[in-house]
Short mmCIF file of all heavy atoms in Angstrom, two decimals:
data_model
loop_
_atom_site.label_atom_id
_atom_site.label_comp_id
_atom_site.label_asym_id
_atom_site.label_seq_id
_atom_site.Cartn_x
_atom_site.Cartn_y
_atom_site.Cartn_z
N ALA A 9 -3.06 4.68 -3.55
CA ALA A 9 -1.61 4.80 -3.59
C ALA A 9 -1.08 4.18 -4.88
O ALA A 9 -1.60 3.16 -5.33
CB ALA A 9 -0.98 4.13 -2.39
N LEU A 10 -0.06 4.80 -5.43
CA LEU A 10 0.54 4.28 -6.65
C LEU A 10 1.42 3.08 -6.33
O LEU A 10 2.15 3.07 -5.34
CB LEU A 10 1.39 5.35 -7.32
CG LEU A 10 0.68 6.50 -8.01
CD1 LEU A 10 1.68 7.52 -8.51
CD2 LEU A 10 -0.16 5.99 -9.17
N SER A 11 1.35 2.07 -7.18
CA SER A 11 2.25 0.94 -7.03
C SER A 11 3.65 1.38 -7.44
O SER A 11 3.84 2.42 -8.07
CB SER A 11 1.80 -0.22 -7.91
OG SER A 11 2.00 0.09 -9.28
N GLU A 12 4.64 0.57 -7.08
CA GLU A 12 6.02 0.89 -7.45
C GLU A 12 6.17 0.99 -8.97
O GLU A 12 6.83 1.89 -9.48
CB GLU A 12 6.97 -0.17 -6.90
CG GLU A 12 8.42 0.14 -7.16
CD GLU A 12 9.36 -0.87 -6.52
OE1 GLU A 12 8.95 -1.58 -5.60
OE2 GLU A 12 10.50 -0.93 -6.98
N LYS A 13 5.51 0.09 -9.70
CA LYS A 13 5.58 0.10 -11.16
C LYS A 13 4.98 1.39 -11.71
O LYS A 13 5.53 2.00 -12.63
CB LYS A 13 4.84 -1.12 -11.72
CG LYS A 13 4.87 -1.23 -13.22
CD LYS A 13 4.16 -2.48 -13.68
CE LYS A 13 4.13 -2.58 -15.18
NZ LYS A 13 3.39 -3.77 -15.63
N ASN A 14 3.85 1.84 -11.16
CA ASN A 14 3.22 3.08 -11.64
C ASN A 14 4.08 4.30 -11.32
O ASN A 14 4.15 5.22 -12.12
CB ASN A 14 1.83 3.24 -11.04
CG ASN A 14 0.82 2.32 -11.68
OD1 ASN A 14 1.03 1.80 -12.77
ND2 ASN A 14 -0.29 2.10 -11.01
N ARG A 15 4.73 4.31 -10.15
CA ARG A 15 5.62 5.43 -9.82
C ARG A 15 6.80 5.47 -10.79
O ARG A 15 7.22 6.54 -11.23
CB ARG A 15 6.12 5.31 -8.37
CG ARG A 15 5.10 5.74 -7.35
CD ARG A 15 5.73 5.93 -5.98
NE ARG A 15 6.47 4.78 -5.52
CZ ARG A 15 5.97 3.82 -4.74
NH1 ARG A 15 4.74 3.88 -4.32
NH2 ARG A 15 6.74 2.80 -4.37
N TRP A 16 7.33 4.29 -11.10
CA TRP A 16 8.44 4.17 -12.07
C TRP A 16 8.01 4.77 -13.41
O TRP A 16 8.70 5.62 -13.97
CB TRP A 16 8.77 2.69 -12.18
CG TRP A 16 9.52 2.19 -13.36
CD1 TRP A 16 9.01 1.76 -14.54
CD2 TRP A 16 10.94 2.03 -13.47
NE1 TRP A 16 10.00 1.33 -15.37
CE2 TRP A 16 11.19 1.48 -14.74
CE3 TRP A 16 12.01 2.28 -12.62
CZ2 TRP A 16 12.48 1.20 -15.18
CZ3 TRP A 16 13.28 1.99 -13.07
CH2 TRP A 16 13.51 1.47 -14.33
N ASN A 17 6.86 4.34 -13.92
CA ASN A 17 6.39 4.82 -15.22
C ASN A 17 6.06 6.31 -15.18
O ASN A 17 6.32 7.03 -16.15
CB ASN A 17 5.18 4.01 -15.70
CG ASN A 17 5.59 2.64 -16.20
OD1 ASN A 17 6.66 2.47 -16.77
ND2 ASN A 17 4.74 1.65 -15.96
N GLU A 18 5.51 6.79 -14.08
CA GLU A 18 5.20 8.22 -13.94
C GLU A 18 6.48 9.05 -14.00
O GLU A 18 6.53 10.08 -14.66
CB GLU A 18 4.46 8.45 -12.62
CG GLU A 18 3.94 9.85 -12.46
CD GLU A 18 2.88 10.22 -13.47
OE1 GLU A 18 2.11 9.35 -13.90
OE2 GLU A 18 2.84 11.41 -13.85
N SER A 19 7.53 8.59 -13.32
CA SER A 19 8.83 9.30 -13.36
C SER A 19 9.40 9.31 -14.77
O SER A 19 9.85 10.34 -15.26
CB SER A 19 9.83 8.65 -12.40
OG SER A 19 9.41 8.82 -11.08
N LEU A 20 9.35 8.16 -15.44
CA LEU A 20 9.88 8.09 -16.81
C LEU A 20 9.13 9.05 -17.72
O LEU A 20 9.74 9.78 -18.51
CB LEU A 20 9.76 6.66 -17.35
CG LEU A 20 10.69 5.63 -16.74
CD1 LEU A 20 10.30 4.23 -17.23
CD2 LEU A 20 12.14 5.93 -17.06
N ARG A 21 7.82 9.11 -17.63
CA ARG A 21 7.03 9.99 -18.49
C ARG A 21 7.28 11.46 -18.16
O ARG A 21 7.35 12.30 -19.06
CB ARG A 21 5.55 9.65 -18.38
CG ARG A 21 5.27 8.27 -18.95
CD ARG A 21 3.82 8.03 -19.26
NE ARG A 21 3.56 6.64 -19.54
CZ ARG A 21 3.91 5.99 -20.64
NH1 ARG A 21 4.58 6.62 -21.59
NH2 ARG A 21 3.62 4.72 -20.82
N ARG A 22 7.45 11.79 -16.88
CA ARG A 22 7.75 13.17 -16.50
C ARG A 22 9.10 13.59 -17.07
O ARG A 22 9.24 14.67 -17.65
CB ARG A 22 7.73 13.32 -14.98
CG ARG A 22 7.90 14.77 -14.51
CD ARG A 22 7.76 14.93 -13.01
NE ARG A 22 8.75 14.17 -12.28
CZ ARG A 22 8.50 13.08 -11.55
NH1 ARG A 22 7.27 12.61 -11.42
NH2 ARG A 22 9.48 12.45 -10.94
N TRP A 23 10.11 12.70 -16.95
CA TRP A 23 11.43 13.01 -17.50
C TRP A 23 11.36 13.14 -19.02
O TRP A 23 12.06 13.95 -19.61
CB TRP A 23 12.45 11.95 -17.10
CG TRP A 23 12.72 11.89 -15.63
CD1 TRP A 23 12.63 12.92 -14.74
CD2 TRP A 23 13.10 10.75 -14.87
NE1 TRP A 23 12.95 12.48 -13.47
CE2 TRP A 23 13.24 11.16 -13.52
CE3 TRP A 23 13.34 9.42 -15.19
CZ2 TRP A 23 13.61 10.28 -12.51
CZ3 TRP A 23 13.71 8.55 -14.17
CH2 TRP A 23 13.85 8.98 -12.85
N GLN A 24 10.52 12.33 -19.65
CA GLN A 24 10.35 12.42 -21.10
C GLN A 24 9.76 13.77 -21.48
O GLN A 24 10.28 14.46 -22.36
CB GLN A 24 9.44 11.30 -21.59
CG GLN A 24 9.11 11.36 -23.06
CD GLN A 24 8.08 10.34 -23.48
OE1 GLN A 24 7.56 9.59 -22.67
NE2 GLN A 24 7.78 10.30 -24.75
N GLU A 25 8.68 14.17 -20.82
CA GLU A 25 8.02 15.44 -21.12
C GLU A 25 8.94 16.63 -20.91
O GLU A 25 8.93 17.59 -21.68
CB GLU A 25 6.77 15.60 -20.26
CG GLU A 25 5.64 14.67 -20.65
CD GLU A 25 4.50 14.68 -19.64
OE1 GLU A 25 4.52 15.50 -18.69
OE2 GLU A 25 3.59 13.86 -19.80
N GLN A 26 9.75 16.57 -19.85
CA GLN A 26 10.62 17.69 -19.51
C GLN A 26 11.98 17.62 -20.20
O GLN A 26 12.82 18.48 -20.01
CB GLN A 26 10.82 17.74 -17.99
CG GLN A 26 9.52 18.00 -17.25
CD GLN A 26 9.66 17.89 -15.74
OE1 GLN A 26 10.71 17.50 -15.22
NE2 GLN A 26 8.60 18.22 -15.03
N LYS A 27 12.19 16.55 -21.00
CA LYS A 27 13.47 16.32 -21.69
C LYS A 27 14.64 16.34 -20.70
O LYS A 27 15.72 16.89 -20.97
CB LYS A 27 13.67 17.33 -22.81
CG LYS A 27 12.59 17.26 -23.88
CD LYS A 27 12.94 18.09 -25.08
CE LYS A 27 11.84 18.14 -26.12
NZ LYS A 27 11.16 16.94 -26.44
N THR A 28 14.41 15.76 -19.54
CA THR A 28 15.41 15.70 -18.48
C THR A 28 16.56 14.79 -18.91
O THR A 28 16.31 13.66 -19.35
CB THR A 28 14.78 15.14 -17.18
OG1 THR A 28 13.68 15.97 -16.83
CG2 THR A 28 15.79 15.09 -16.05
N PRO A 29 17.82 15.23 -18.79
CA PRO A 29 18.95 14.34 -19.08
C PRO A 29 19.00 13.22 -18.03
O PRO A 29 18.92 13.50 -16.83
CB PRO A 29 20.18 15.23 -18.97
CG PRO A 29 19.68 16.62 -18.92
CD PRO A 29 18.26 16.59 -18.45
N VAL A 30 19.07 11.99 -18.50
CA VAL A 30 19.13 10.85 -17.59
C VAL A 30 20.32 9.96 -17.94
O VAL A 30 20.80 9.95 -19.07
CB VAL A 30 17.83 10.01 -17.63
CG1 VAL A 30 16.66 10.79 -17.05
CG2 VAL A 30 17.51 9.56 -19.04
N THR A 31 20.81 9.22 -16.94
CA THR A 31 21.86 8.23 -17.14
C THR A 31 21.31 6.88 -16.71
O THR A 31 20.90 6.71 -15.56
CB THR A 31 23.12 8.56 -16.34
OG1 THR A 31 23.61 9.85 -16.75
CG2 THR A 31 24.20 7.51 -16.56
N PHE A 32 21.28 5.94 -17.63
CA PHE A 32 20.87 4.57 -17.34
C PHE A 32 22.13 3.75 -17.12
O PHE A 32 22.98 3.68 -18.00
CB PHE A 32 20.09 3.97 -18.51
CG PHE A 32 18.78 4.64 -18.79
CD1 PHE A 32 18.71 5.70 -19.67
CD2 PHE A 32 17.63 4.21 -18.17
CE1 PHE A 32 17.51 6.32 -19.94
CE2 PHE A 32 16.41 4.83 -18.42
CZ PHE A 32 16.35 5.89 -19.32
N SER A 33 22.28 3.14 -15.96
CA SER A 33 23.35 2.17 -15.72
C SER A 33 22.73 0.80 -15.95
O SER A 33 21.72 0.46 -15.33
CB SER A 33 23.87 2.28 -14.28
OG SER A 33 24.45 3.54 -14.08
N LEU A 34 23.32 0.04 -16.86
CA LEU A 34 22.77 -1.26 -17.22
C LEU A 34 23.42 -2.37 -16.41
O LEU A 34 24.51 -2.20 -15.86
CB LEU A 34 22.96 -1.49 -18.72
CG LEU A 34 22.42 -0.38 -19.63
CD1 LEU A 34 22.63 -0.76 -21.10
CD2 LEU A 34 20.97 -0.08 -19.34
N LEU A 35 22.74 -3.49 -16.35
CA LEU A 35 23.24 -4.63 -15.58
C LEU A 35 24.59 -5.14 -16.08
O LEU A 35 25.37 -5.68 -15.31
CB LEU A 35 22.22 -5.77 -15.60
CG LEU A 35 20.90 -5.47 -14.89
CD1 LEU A 35 19.91 -6.61 -15.11
CD2 LEU A 35 21.12 -5.23 -13.41
N ASN A 36 24.90 -4.92 -17.38
CA ASN A 36 26.18 -5.38 -17.93
C ASN A 36 27.31 -4.37 -17.70
O ASN A 36 28.42 -4.56 -18.15
CB ASN A 36 26.05 -5.70 -19.42
CG ASN A 36 25.81 -4.47 -20.28
OD1 ASN A 36 25.74 -3.35 -19.78
ND2 ASN A 36 25.67 -4.69 -21.57
N GLY A 37 27.01 -3.25 -16.99
CA GLY A 37 28.02 -2.26 -16.69
C GLY A 37 28.05 -1.08 -17.65
O GLY A 37 28.68 -0.07 -17.36
N ASP A 38 27.38 -1.19 -18.79
CA ASP A 38 27.33 -0.08 -19.74
C ASP A 38 26.49 1.06 -19.19
O ASP A 38 25.64 0.85 -18.32
CB ASP A 38 26.73 -0.52 -21.08
CG ASP A 38 27.66 -1.42 -21.88
OD1 ASP A 38 28.84 -1.53 -21.52
OD2 ASP A 38 27.18 -2.00 -22.87
N LYS A 39 26.72 2.27 -19.72
CA LYS A 39 25.90 3.42 -19.36
C LYS A 39 25.35 4.04 -20.64
O LYS A 39 26.02 4.09 -21.66
CB LYS A 39 26.73 4.46 -18.61
CG LYS A 39 27.15 4.03 -17.22
CD LYS A 39 27.72 5.20 -16.46
CE LYS A 39 28.31 4.80 -15.13
NZ LYS A 39 27.37 4.20 -14.21
N VAL A 40 24.10 4.48 -20.58
CA VAL A 40 23.46 5.18 -21.67
C VAL A 40 23.01 6.52 -21.11
O VAL A 40 22.29 6.58 -20.11
CB VAL A 40 22.25 4.40 -22.23
CG1 VAL A 40 21.54 5.20 -23.31
CG2 VAL A 40 22.68 3.04 -22.75
N ARG A 41 23.45 7.62 -21.76
CA ARG A 41 23.11 8.98 -21.30
C ARG A 41 22.34 9.69 -22.40
O ARG A 41 22.74 9.64 -23.56
CB ARG A 41 24.38 9.77 -20.99
CG ARG A 41 25.15 9.24 -19.81
CD ARG A 41 26.45 10.03 -19.60
NE ARG A 41 27.19 9.54 -18.47
CZ ARG A 41 28.07 8.54 -18.50
NH1 ARG A 41 28.32 7.93 -19.65
NH2 ARG A 41 28.70 8.15 -17.41
N GLY A 42 21.26 10.36 -22.01
CA GLY A 42 20.50 11.11 -22.99
C GLY A 42 19.13 11.47 -22.45
O GLY A 42 18.90 11.45 -21.24
N SER A 43 18.22 11.80 -23.36
CA SER A 43 16.86 12.13 -22.96
C SER A 43 15.91 11.05 -23.51
O SER A 43 16.15 10.46 -24.56
CB SER A 43 16.46 13.51 -23.48
OG SER A 43 16.55 13.56 -24.88
N ILE A 44 14.85 10.82 -22.76
CA ILE A 44 13.89 9.79 -23.11
C ILE A 44 12.99 10.30 -24.24
O ILE A 44 12.39 11.36 -24.13
CB ILE A 44 13.05 9.41 -21.88
CG1 ILE A 44 13.95 8.83 -20.79
CG2 ILE A 44 11.94 8.43 -22.26
CD1 ILE A 44 13.27 8.66 -19.44
N SER A 45 12.91 9.53 -25.34
CA SER A 45 12.06 9.94 -26.45
C SER A 45 10.71 9.22 -26.41
O SER A 45 9.71 9.75 -26.88
CB SER A 45 12.76 9.73 -27.79
OG SER A 45 13.28 8.45 -27.89
N TRP A 46 10.66 8.01 -25.87
CA TRP A 46 9.40 7.28 -25.72
C TRP A 46 9.56 6.17 -24.70
O TRP A 46 10.68 5.77 -24.36
CB TRP A 46 8.90 6.72 -27.05
CG TRP A 46 9.91 5.93 -27.84
CD1 TRP A 46 10.72 6.41 -28.83
CD2 TRP A 46 10.26 4.56 -27.69
NE1 TRP A 46 11.54 5.42 -29.30
CE2 TRP A 46 11.27 4.26 -28.61
CE3 TRP A 46 9.83 3.53 -26.86
CZ2 TRP A 46 11.84 3.00 -28.75
CZ3 TRP A 46 10.39 2.27 -26.99
CH2 TRP A 46 11.39 2.02 -27.93
N VAL A 47 8.43 5.71 -24.19
CA VAL A 47 8.40 4.63 -23.20
C VAL A 47 7.25 3.70 -23.58
O VAL A 47 6.16 4.15 -23.89
CB VAL A 47 8.13 5.20 -21.78
CG1 VAL A 47 8.02 4.07 -20.76
CG2 VAL A 47 9.20 6.18 -21.36
N ASP A 48 7.52 2.39 -23.58
CA ASP A 48 6.42 1.44 -23.73
C ASP A 48 6.53 0.40 -22.61
O ASP A 48 7.26 0.61 -21.65
CB ASP A 48 6.37 0.82 -25.13
CG ASP A 48 7.52 -0.11 -25.46
OD1 ASP A 48 8.21 -0.61 -24.55
OD2 ASP A 48 7.75 -0.36 -26.66
N ARG A 49 5.82 -0.68 -22.74
CA ARG A 49 5.74 -1.65 -21.63
C ARG A 49 7.10 -2.25 -21.26
O ARG A 49 7.39 -2.45 -20.09
CB ARG A 49 4.77 -2.76 -22.02
CG ARG A 49 4.50 -3.72 -20.92
CD ARG A 49 3.38 -4.64 -21.29
NE ARG A 49 3.14 -5.57 -20.21
CZ ARG A 49 2.22 -6.51 -20.24
NH1 ARG A 49 1.46 -6.64 -21.30
NH2 ARG A 49 2.06 -7.32 -19.22
N TYR A 50 7.94 -2.52 -22.26
CA TYR A 50 9.19 -3.24 -22.01
C TYR A 50 10.46 -2.44 -22.33
O TYR A 50 11.54 -2.84 -21.92
CB TYR A 50 9.23 -4.54 -22.82
CG TYR A 50 8.13 -5.49 -22.45
CD1 TYR A 50 7.09 -5.73 -23.33
CD2 TYR A 50 8.12 -6.15 -21.22
CE1 TYR A 50 6.07 -6.61 -23.01
CE2 TYR A 50 7.11 -7.02 -20.89
CZ TYR A 50 6.08 -7.25 -21.79
OH TYR A 50 5.07 -8.11 -21.46
N THR A 51 10.33 -1.37 -23.09
CA THR A 51 11.52 -0.67 -23.56
C THR A 51 11.40 0.85 -23.39
O THR A 51 10.30 1.37 -23.22
CB THR A 51 11.81 -0.98 -25.05
OG1 THR A 51 10.68 -0.60 -25.83
CG2 THR A 51 12.12 -2.45 -25.26
N ILE A 52 12.56 1.52 -23.47
CA ILE A 52 12.64 2.97 -23.40
C ILE A 52 13.51 3.44 -24.56
O ILE A 52 14.62 2.93 -24.75
CB ILE A 52 13.27 3.43 -22.07
CG1 ILE A 52 12.47 2.90 -20.88
CG2 ILE A 52 13.40 4.95 -22.02
CD1 ILE A 52 13.16 3.07 -19.55
N GLY A 53 13.01 4.39 -25.32
CA GLY A 53 13.80 4.99 -26.40
C GLY A 53 14.58 6.16 -25.83
O GLY A 53 14.03 7.01 -25.14
N VAL A 54 15.89 6.19 -26.11
CA VAL A 54 16.76 7.24 -25.58
C VAL A 54 17.51 7.90 -26.73
O VAL A 54 18.10 7.22 -27.56
CB VAL A 54 17.77 6.66 -24.56
CG1 VAL A 54 18.65 7.76 -23.99
CG2 VAL A 54 17.06 5.91 -23.45
N GLU A 55 17.46 9.24 -26.77
CA GLU A 55 18.29 10.01 -27.70
C GLU A 55 19.58 10.31 -26.95
O GLU A 55 19.57 11.07 -25.99
CB GLU A 55 17.60 11.31 -28.10
CG GLU A 55 16.35 11.12 -28.92
CD GLU A 55 16.63 10.54 -30.30
OE1 GLU A 55 17.68 10.87 -30.88
OE2 GLU A 55 15.80 9.76 -30.77
N GLU A 56 20.67 9.66 -27.37
CA GLU A 56 21.93 9.81 -26.65
C GLU A 56 22.47 11.23 -26.74
O GLU A 56 22.37 11.89 -27.78
CB GLU A 56 22.98 8.84 -27.18
CG GLU A 56 22.79 7.44 -26.65
CD GLU A 56 24.02 6.59 -26.87
OE1 GLU A 56 24.51 6.55 -28.01
OE2 GLU A 56 24.48 5.98 -25.90
N THR A 57 23.06 11.70 -25.65
CA THR A 57 23.65 13.03 -25.57
C THR A 57 24.84 13.15 -26.52
O THR A 57 24.97 14.10 -27.27
CB THR A 57 24.10 13.33 -24.13
OG1 THR A 57 22.98 13.12 -23.27
CG2 THR A 57 24.59 14.74 -23.98
N ALA A 58 25.71 12.16 -26.49
CA ALA A 58 26.91 12.17 -27.33
C ALA A 58 26.64 11.38 -28.61
O ALA A 58 26.26 10.22 -28.56
CB ALA A 58 28.07 11.54 -26.58
N GLY A 59 26.80 12.04 -29.75
CA GLY A 59 26.69 11.33 -31.01
C GLY A 59 25.31 11.31 -31.64
O GLY A 59 25.15 10.78 -32.72
N SER A 60 24.33 11.84 -30.98
CA SER A 60 22.95 11.93 -31.48
C SER A 60 22.42 10.60 -32.03
O SER A 60 21.77 10.55 -33.06
CB SER A 60 22.81 13.04 -32.53
OG SER A 60 23.55 12.75 -33.69
N GLN A 61 22.71 9.52 -31.34
CA GLN A 61 22.17 8.21 -31.70
C GLN A 61 20.89 7.96 -30.93
O GLN A 61 20.71 8.46 -29.83
CB GLN A 61 23.15 7.10 -31.32
CG GLN A 61 24.30 6.90 -32.26
CD GLN A 61 25.04 5.62 -31.91
OE1 GLN A 61 24.44 4.60 -31.67
NE2 GLN A 61 26.34 5.71 -31.85
N SER A 62 20.02 7.15 -31.52
CA SER A 62 18.86 6.65 -30.80
C SER A 62 19.18 5.25 -30.30
O SER A 62 19.73 4.44 -31.03
CB SER A 62 17.64 6.59 -31.72
OG SER A 62 17.28 7.89 -32.12
N VAL A 63 18.84 5.00 -29.04
CA VAL A 63 19.11 3.71 -28.42
C VAL A 63 17.82 3.18 -27.80
O VAL A 63 17.05 3.95 -27.22
CB VAL A 63 20.19 3.86 -27.31
CG1 VAL A 63 20.45 2.54 -26.62
CG2 VAL A 63 21.48 4.41 -27.90
N ILE A 64 17.58 1.89 -27.94
CA ILE A 64 16.45 1.26 -27.27
C ILE A 64 17.00 0.49 -26.07
O ILE A 64 17.89 -0.35 -26.22
CB ILE A 64 15.70 0.30 -28.21
CG1 ILE A 64 15.13 1.08 -29.39
CG2 ILE A 64 14.60 -0.43 -27.45
CD1 ILE A 64 14.55 0.19 -30.48
N VAL A 65 16.51 0.81 -24.89
CA VAL A 65 16.96 0.16 -23.66
C VAL A 65 15.83 -0.72 -23.14
O VAL A 65 14.70 -0.25 -22.97
CB VAL A 65 17.34 1.21 -22.59
CG1 VAL A 65 17.74 0.54 -21.29
CG2 VAL A 65 18.46 2.11 -23.09
N HIS A 66 16.11 -2.00 -22.93
CA HIS A 66 15.11 -2.90 -22.35
C HIS A 66 15.02 -2.63 -20.86
O HIS A 66 16.05 -2.56 -20.17
CB HIS A 66 15.50 -4.36 -22.61
CG HIS A 66 14.41 -5.31 -22.30
ND1 HIS A 66 14.16 -5.75 -21.03
CD2 HIS A 66 13.48 -5.88 -23.10
CE1 HIS A 66 13.12 -6.57 -21.05
NE2 HIS A 66 12.69 -6.67 -22.30
N LYS A 67 13.83 -2.43 -20.35
CA LYS A 67 13.66 -2.09 -18.92
C LYS A 67 14.31 -3.13 -18.01
O LYS A 67 14.85 -2.79 -16.96
CB LYS A 67 12.18 -1.94 -18.58
CG LYS A 67 11.56 -0.68 -19.15
CD LYS A 67 10.10 -0.59 -18.77
CE LYS A 67 9.45 0.67 -19.28
NZ LYS A 67 8.01 0.73 -18.93
N GLY A 68 14.28 -4.40 -18.40
CA GLY A 68 14.86 -5.45 -17.58
C GLY A 68 16.37 -5.41 -17.51
O GLY A 68 16.97 -6.07 -16.65
N ALA A 69 17.01 -4.62 -18.39
CA ALA A 69 18.47 -4.52 -18.40
C ALA A 69 18.98 -3.36 -17.55
O ALA A 69 20.19 -3.18 -17.41
CB ALA A 69 18.97 -4.34 -19.84
N ILE A 70 18.07 -2.57 -16.96
CA ILE A 70 18.45 -1.38 -16.21
C ILE A 70 18.73 -1.72 -14.76
O ILE A 70 17.92 -2.33 -14.08
CB ILE A 70 17.34 -0.31 -16.28
CG1 ILE A 70 17.11 0.11 -17.74
CG2 ILE A 70 17.69 0.90 -15.42
CD1 ILE A 70 15.86 0.95 -17.93
N ALA A 71 19.93 -1.30 -14.29
CA ALA A 71 20.27 -1.45 -12.89
C ALA A 71 19.81 -0.21 -12.11
O ALA A 71 19.15 -0.33 -11.09
CB ALA A 71 21.77 -1.67 -12.72
N THR A 72 20.18 0.99 -12.61
CA THR A 72 19.80 2.24 -11.96
C THR A 72 19.54 3.32 -13.00
O THR A 72 20.03 3.23 -14.14
CB THR A 72 20.89 2.76 -11.00
OG1 THR A 72 22.08 3.03 -11.74
CG2 THR A 72 21.20 1.77 -9.90
N ILE A 73 18.81 4.36 -12.58
CA ILE A 73 18.58 5.54 -13.41
C ILE A 73 18.86 6.76 -12.55
O ILE A 73 18.37 6.86 -11.44
CB ILE A 73 17.12 5.64 -13.91
CG1 ILE A 73 16.73 4.39 -14.69
CG2 ILE A 73 16.94 6.88 -14.77
CD1 ILE A 73 15.26 4.34 -15.06
N LYS A 74 19.68 7.68 -13.10
CA LYS A 74 19.91 8.96 -12.43
C LYS A 74 19.38 10.07 -13.33
O LYS A 74 19.62 10.06 -14.52
CB LYS A 74 21.41 9.20 -12.20
CG LYS A 74 22.02 8.31 -11.16
CD LYS A 74 23.47 8.70 -10.95
CE LYS A 74 24.14 7.76 -9.98
NZ LYS A 74 25.55 8.11 -9.78
N ALA A 75 18.64 10.99 -12.72
CA ALA A 75 18.09 12.10 -13.48
C ALA A 75 18.54 13.41 -12.86
O ALA A 75 18.92 13.46 -11.73
CB ALA A 75 16.57 12.03 -13.50
#
């Protein structure tokens, strides 16, 4: 059985491969919307939908993810 951490990473990688639009709600109340460009141990690279900016999101700062 996959651990919770492995399921989390598997979902992130699937969304990255499929270029699925995602919304990250952060613990400080901010939202980041876009597609995942890369994932590593502690951070996620996001190409924002509005403004074509690249954003690095620290995994520990994420409250929720909607895909």
Side-chain angles (χ1 to χ4, degrees):
L10 287 175
S11 70
E12 184 176 340
K13 182 178 177 182
N14 285 342
R15 282 194 306 266
W16 161 271
N17 285 326
E18 188 64 32
S19 293
L20 289 171
R21 294 197 191 287
R22 186 175 61 250
W23 295 331
Q24 176 187 2
E25 289 171 6
Q26 297 173 354
K27 299 190 185 317
T28 303
V30 293
T31 300
F32 295 91
S33 296
L34 306 182
L35 294 174
N36 68 0
D38 288 349
K39 291 191 187 299
V40 176
R41 293 176 180 87
S43 59
I44 298 169
S45 51
W46 51 265
V47 177
D48 69 20
R49 186 171 180 181
Y50 298 109
T51 59
I52 302 169
V54 181
E55 293 293 325
E56 281 195 309
T57 306
S60 66
Q61 281 190 45
S62 295
V63 178
I64 298 172
V65 177
H66 192 278
K67 288 180 178 178
I70 299 169
T72 62
I73 303 173
K74 290 184 184 179

